[in-house]
Amino acid sequence: MENLTARDITVSFDGVKIIDNISIELNKGEIVCLLGVSGAGKTTLFNVISGLLTPDNGTVELDSEVITGKAGKVSYMLQKDLLLPFKTILDNVSLPLIIRGMKKRIARETATKYFKEFGLEGTQKKYPSQLSGGMRQRAALLRTYLFSDKVALLDEPFSALDTITKGNMHDWYLEVMEQIKLSTLFITHDIDEAIHLSDRIYIMTGKPGRITEEIMVKEPKPRNKDFIVSKEFVEYKKQILKVLEQEAAV
Amino acid sequence: MYLRLIKKLQNIINRISPILAISMILILWQTLSATGSIPKFMLPSPIDVVNAFLKDFTLLMQHAGTTLMEAFLGLSLGVLLGFLVAVLMDRHEIAYKAIYPVLVITQTVPTVAIAPLLVLWQGYGITPKITLIVITSFFPITIGLLDGFKSSDQDALNLMKAMGASNFQRFIHIKLPSSLGYFFAGLRISASYSIIGAVVAEWLGGFSGLGVYMTRVRKSFSFDKMFAVIFFISMISLLLMLLVSLLQRVLMPWEKEKLKRENSRRGKKK
């Protein structure tokens, strides 16, 4: 059932431990959140999982295959959409397919199929500069999905958006996820966002970065907007705040 | 309504002001030579210059053909060389460190100084002209491309790496298109350098070309023809630069969209 496992990951830069013995797992179709303050080493952990960085200790496994230090296995999306300004949206999202060796024409055809599902219809021939921030993030997510439909790492994907757009993006995101069932590990420092979107939350604290708590969000999906103003939601939030406060006190 | 009229008027004035300035200079020039304040053999009037140009039109076109041919060949080779050197310097830090000072030094040597050497080495044919153009034109291209490569979004490059892209793929999909704007800025300069380079090389010997024509009319003290060919050369340079801009617009369609947006935003602000 497990899809992605990172075991006993330790990373240090210049003798300073950035993350200390972290183990996390991600099951198929799950949305799991890494919640923590800035500087807790969340992004470093992502760099390890994506293979951009080789850890001092520990292994990363995807479907029982060891992928430690191997790039190109899990997909990655950042706060910046990183759409290339000189390519149309269609060419931007089909880029991962082309990198994998697919012919341009076929890559475009394959990518086009998903535009409706991702709410991107009509943007195929536009350039990123012609789209709003929310639409650009949608395109970035589609590109991430086309790169790998197994596991996606999202590093603060919605944090650059304004609150209203962010709310809409959350609804859109959950809706798309219902359909594509992409196993996702995402980073955020927004507690509400974490509770709203995740099945499971790892609370990460620094320094060095480690996992201090794991919280299951049992609210069934699909979740509607009412969830974020419900009593259960507040309970989750209290629980998380308590953990963070305790950590800050130490 | 009234305000809009003023704005429109300002717009028109903005647009025609360069034309006005040029006409003023021409009128002043014409009166100076017509009244005889400056002897006609030294400073022919603009009308004389136009007449000289029309009289020698076919001859000028033949010479222009040679010059343009040299410029085209030299520029193509210069661009190719500039591109290869830029890629090499971008790829290997050691190449960058080794070549950069050499590049700068080649630019401090004046064109006019090396041209005679080239003629001595390579004769009166087309070779020294092309060599000179390559030397002068590849520098702006190399520097432009290098800056362009360096300007590529580092995060985007990392993302591509995380997607498993090879160095070549990252070059084709990110570095090369990122550098296009810089490349064209360099090419605009190189295009005008190439004409100047060709003419300078032709001064020192050759069988045809605008530089050869220039030397001949100078020796016969035909000031009107001298002026005609000078204006003709700057005209050609301007046209070439325009051509580069057109090419840029075709090859960089995304810039057009960006510009449109910016213009409409500016319009709204008003």
Side-chain angles (χ1 to χ4, degrees), chain B residues 5 23 31 51 57 67 165 189 236 249 265:
Chain B
L5 205 73
S23 327
T31 35
N51 281 337
F57 185 76
T67 304
I189 298 170
I236 291 177
R249 221 173 285 171
R265 240 185 243 158

Side-chain angles (χ1 to χ4, degrees), chain A residues 4 9 45-55 58-76 147-148 151 153, chain B residues 158-165:
Chain A
L4 179 89
I9 304 287
L45 181 62
F46 262 29
N47 282 336
V48 170
I49 297 173
S50 67
L52 286 176
L53 190 72
T54 310
T59 53
V60 184
E61 284 173 32
L62 177 67
D63 291 335
S64 314
E65 181 199 354
V66 178
I67 57 160
T68 323
K70 270 189 212 162
K73 294 287 183 184
V74 296
S75 54
Y76 204 155
F147 168 45
S148 161
V151 172
L153 307 178
Chain B
N158 263 336
L159 181 73
M160 289 274 286
K161 198 174 176 187
M163 286 180 180

Side-chain angles (χ1 to χ4, degrees), chain A residues 98-210:
Chain A
I98 292 170
I99 289 173
R100 219 183 292 152
M102 204 182 264
K103 283 219 169 63
K104 201 171 182 177
R105 193 179 53 83
I106 299 168
R108 278 180 174 162
E109 274 171 21
T110 313
T112 306
K113 284 181 205 148
Y114 293 94
F115 269 70
K116 197 172 171 196
E117 206 169 344
F118 277 73
L120 281 165
E121 200 128 37
T123 62
Q124 281 93 327
K125 285 189 176 151
K126 294 205 163 143
Y127 288 100
S129 62
Q130 295 171 279
L131 261 56
S132 66
M135 287 302 259
R136 286 218 290 268
Q137 282 309 86
R138 288 183 189 203
L141 188 71
L142 173 53
R143 180 184 55 189
T144 310
Y145 176 65
L146 286 174
F147 168 45
S148 161
D149 53 9
K150 277 187 181 162
V151 172
L153 307 178
L154 312 184
D155 192 345
E156 302 194 3
F158 309 123
S159 64
L161 303 171
D162 63 85
T163 320
I164 298 167
T165 312
K166 202 179 192 179
N168 292 334
M169 285 297 282
H170 287 158
D171 295 340
W172 166 84
Y173 175 73
L174 286 174
E175 212 171 279
V176 171
M177 280 305 178
E178 266 316 292
Q179 290 172 33
I180 61 177
K181 302 269 184 231
L182 174 66
S183 320
T184 308
L185 193 60
F186 80 97
I187 288 178
T188 185
H189 48 238
D190 179 339
I191 300 174
D192 290 3
E193 181 173 85
I195 304 169
H196 186 186
L197 302 181
S198 333
D199 299 309
R200 210 143 48 81
I201 300 171
Y202 286 112
I203 299 180
M204 217 175 144
T205 44
K207 309 175 161 183
R210 67 217 127 82

